[in-house]
């Protein structure tokens, strides 16, 4: 199958970065997949790019994903990025695809969900508002504040099996 890669215009730009996009299509013009490349612009993240490659299952193993990834990685290099990151569920076709192209697993996330319909919200609020020796509740947006960076890294290491 002959795959055509078309660069698209993505007007979305935020204070955290900008995105580039490409579409893969077959000889008849039907879409086969796409890739978004996020180029981070915040301080401390300008070396990073994040890639999101999606190929329709019926179109896999026909080079669309490889060509899309190649276009995104080339654009990241042209923009001076030294690190490209991606997300894929362990054991998924996406994880196998990324591993075969030199990506390696760096962080495994485990999600715990609390169904809010079953939650005792007053009890949870009371727990969160009660002081606990050695702990304080804090929040931030974006990069971890410098004064919290060391303890944040230590807590992440402690929580990772």
């Amino acid at each position: 199958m002959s795959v055509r890669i078309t660069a698209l215009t993505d007007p979305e730009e935020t204070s955290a970065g900008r995105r580039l996009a490409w579409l893969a299509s077959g000889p008849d013009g039907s879409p086969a997949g796409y890739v978004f490349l996020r180029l981070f612009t915040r301080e401390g993240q300008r070396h990073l790019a994040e890639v999101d490659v999606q190929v329709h299952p019926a179109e896999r193993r026909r080079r669309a994903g490889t060509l899309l990834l190649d276009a995104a990685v080339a654009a990241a290099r042209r923009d001076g990025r030294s690190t490209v990151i991606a997300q894929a569920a362990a054991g998924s076709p996406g994880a196998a695809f990324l591993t075969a192209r030199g990506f390696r697993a760096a962080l495994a996330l485990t999600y715990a969900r609390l169904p809010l319909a079953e939650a005792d919200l007053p009890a949870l609020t009371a727990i969160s508002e009660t002081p606990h020796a050695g702990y304080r509740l804090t929040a931030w947006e974006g990069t971890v504040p410098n004064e919290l960076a060391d303890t944040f890294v230590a807590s992440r290491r402690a929580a990772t099996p």
Side-chain angles (χ1 to χ4, degrees):
M1 172 178 138
S2 172
V3 177
R4 183 176 45 141
I5 305 297
T6 305
L8 303 174
T9 300
D10 184 353
E12 179 188 329
E13 184 159 347
T14 68
S15 61
R18 66 184 189 283
R19 287 191 325 175
L20 304 176
W22 293 264
L23 175 69
S25 55
D28 63 353
S30 62
Y34 64 85
V35 63
F36 285 112
L37 178 70
R38 175 153 318 275
L39 300 168
F40 295 100
T41 56
R42 285 194 174 152
E43 187 65 36
Q45 295 182 328
R46 292 190 181 113
H47 66 290
L48 287 176
E50 181 179 32
V51 68
D52 177 15
V53 181
Q54 300 291 324
V55 176
H56 189 280
E59 302 297 332
R60 291 182 183 152
R61 301 209 169 271
R62 297 182 181 180
R63 298 208 18 90
T66 298
L67 294 171
L68 288 165
L69 183 62
D70 289 350
V73 169
R77 282 189 182 123
R78 282 192 304 275
D79 200 65
R81 306 306 166 124
S82 61
T83 303
V84 176
I85 59 175
Q87 291 186 27
S92 70
F97 171 80
L98 292 167
T99 299
R101 280 145 191 90
F103 284 75
R104 63 179 174 77
L107 176 64
L109 300 175
T110 302
Y111 295 95
R113 300 191 193 279
L114 174 64
L116 291 180
E118 302 168 19
D120 182 347
L121 295 180
L124 291 174
T125 300
I127 290 169
S128 71
E129 291 174 349
T130 302
H132 293 80
Y135 294 91
R136 76 176 193 272
L137 186 60
T138 188
W140 63 86
E141 288 187 24
T143 305
V144 177
N146 287 339
E147 66 273 11
L148 299 175
D150 290 340
T151 56
F152 177 77
V153 170
S155 71
R156 296 291 297 173
R157 285 189 186 127
T160 304

